[in-house]
């Protein structure tokens, strides 16, 4: 089992790079890991049902991409 996890860890690090060291690197990391997700996917949920049934607020992938772009962060 340990050898299997080592392989998964090694493959993930090759694909996604080193562990993020700060918030900007973490944002770039999330964008890289979820690169194929549609802009409408809710990534961070703030509320659910507060503003009405099935109304959720938070940050979508599109929001995260826009924030990263404004900050000059690229995966």
């Amino acid at each position: 089992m340990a050898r299997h996890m080592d392989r998964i860890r090694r493959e993930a690090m090759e694909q996604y790079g080193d562990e993020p060291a700060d918030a900007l690197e973490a944002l770039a990391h999330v964008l890289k890991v979820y690169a194929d997700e549609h802009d409408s996917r809710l990534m961070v949920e703030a509320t659910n049902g507060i503003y009405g049934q099935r109304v959720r607020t938070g940050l979508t992938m599109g929001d995260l991409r826009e924030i990263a772009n404004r900050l000059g962060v690229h995966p």
Side-chain angles (χ1 to χ4, degrees):
M1 180 70 163
R3 207 176 296 159
H4 176 71
M5 291 305 292
D6 286 343
R7 181 181 57 79
I8 291 171
R9 181 177 184 272
R10 186 176 56 253
E11 287 173 1
M13 288 182 73
E14 287 171 5
Q15 186 172 1
Y16 304 124
D18 294 332
E19 176 184 355
D22 60 29
L24 293 179
E25 287 182 9
L27 177 56
H29 180 74
V30 168
L31 295 175
K32 191 170 194 176
V33 171
Y34 290 96
D36 294 334
E37 289 298 326
H38 192 272
D39 279 348
S40 64
R41 176 170 177 184
L42 188 64
M43 300 301 289
V44 179
E45 183 177 83
T47 67
N48 189 339
I50 300 298
Y51 299 100
Q53 272 189 318
R54 293 190 257 198
V55 176
R56 295 172 13 175
T57 64
L59 297 170
T60 64
M61 271 305 294
D63 295 332
L64 294 178
R65 289 180 177 120
E66 183 177 336
I67 291 166
N69 189 45
R70 289 183 184 193
L71 293 172
V73 173
H74 303 285

